[in-house]
Amino acid sequence: NRGLPPARIPEDNALTEEGVFLGRMLFYDPILSADSSQSCSSCHNQKFAFTDNGEAVSQGIRGVKGRRNSMPIFNMMWHMDGFFWDGRAELLRHQALLPIQDPTEMDETIGNVLAKLNSSVIYNEHFKKAFDIDEIDEESVGLALEQFMNSIVSMGSRYDRYLLGIEDLTEQEKIGMLIFNSEAIPLKEEKNPNSPVNYGADCFHCHGNSLFSRREYLSNGLPEGTVKDFGRGEVTGNSRDDCRFKTPSLRNIEMTAPYMHDGRFNTLEEVVDFYLGPMENSCADLSNSPN
């Protein structure tokens, strides 16, 4: 696949210059938090692919730490089947408002946010330009943030340029690509055990398309962390969804450490070591048990 698939721009919220600009204003404004000390960008820093500056989990305005790693923000137009690690928000505009109200994050109410925004001459002007409204409401705040986040696109990496034939990869990178895109084949079935193809890592099954992600919520066999977290199962109430999480994109992966939903791995080497196994006492064993 030489490029991203067609964008999934919401029919009722097309990107406009005014809407994206307004969404960016809101994203970087700490006025959305209860004490005006934290903005969306506090936990989604552009320098780190819109993640939380190397923190395993984010800390809210009250000094309380959450239990999940801050997800990167890019290529949101191609996300499907919900947002957050557990998919509890159906639409991006809904996701945008939940951290504002979360007691462990920005700990504010929508009512207070609207009061602050409506008392601002500047915000009233920009909401009028973007949505032609005379009073700022909850929906328009979500729509503006959705537009800004949908405008953030990750494309044009060395790998993308390689696929276009305008840049080459090193030999080591080509071997890594082969391993990434190969099945794990038992050595006994191969005539040449020293060939790189025999060291297939199966990465492409979950990260093999141009988005380097996958729609399904999956359990990768992580042992239970220090904080109990059943992921998608907490949303659906189905025990078979326990410990299943949204599959993150591998784009910008070098900038988004630490890794996994709880940020338990600091380096990609640790991630690879985990997938080499063995995987024991995993939450996946519990979630897949018949009950």
Side-chain angles (χ1 to χ4, degrees), residues 2-64:
R2 300 194 176 190
L4 299 176
R8 299 173 58 253
I9 302 173
E11 294 183 0
D12 61 346
N13 195 27
L15 273 64
T16 65
E17 184 175 343
E18 296 80 8
V20 170
F21 184 84
L22 171 59
R24 187 183 188 282
M25 286 177 61
L26 292 167
F27 189 87
Y28 285 97
D29 196 339
I31 196 176
L32 298 185
S33 65
D35 62 359
S36 293
S37 67
Q38 201 171 74
S39 68
C40 303
S41 65
S42 298
C43 298
H44 297 282
N45 190 326
Q46 180 176 350
K47 183 178 179 181
F48 302 96
F50 291 94
T51 60
D52 195 9
N53 194 17
E55 297 293 329
V57 295
S58 298
Q59 180 172 293
I61 65 170
R62 311 297 181 194
V64 178

Side-chain angles (χ1 to χ4, degrees), residues 53-95:
N53 194 17
E55 297 293 329
V57 295
S58 298
Q59 180 172 293
I61 65 170
R62 311 297 181 194
V64 178
K65 288 195 172 184
R67 57 177 177 158
R68 293 175 183 164
N69 184 250
S70 179
M71 299 192 81
I73 297 176
F74 55 78
N75 295 348
M76 305 300 276
M77 283 188 290
W78 292 275
H79 279 230
M80 303 179 77
D81 303 319
F83 296 86
F84 291 111
W85 283 102
D86 57 15
R88 64 185 181 275
E90 181 181 357
L91 301 174
L92 184 55
R93 66 196 66 169
H94 300 156
Q95 178 279 329

Side-chain angles (χ1 to χ4, degrees), residues 112-162:
N112 284 344
V113 168
L114 296 180
K116 288 184 281 188
L117 294 177
N118 275 297
S119 67
S120 166
V121 173
I122 293 176
Y123 271 116
N124 272 284
E125 290 177 353
H126 282 284
F127 273 93
K128 180 68 173 178
K129 290 179 182 178
F131 300 111
D132 193 25
I133 56 176
D134 296 318
E135 183 175 0
I136 303 168
D137 56 18
E138 179 177 353
E139 180 183 24
S140 60
V141 173
L143 291 174
L145 285 166
E146 180 179 77
Q147 281 199 41
F148 172 64
M149 288 189 282
N150 274 338
S151 75
I152 303 169
V153 177
S154 175
M155 188 63 181
S157 68
R158 285 187 59 241
Y159 179 69
D160 293 314
R161 296 193 295 272
Y162 164 76

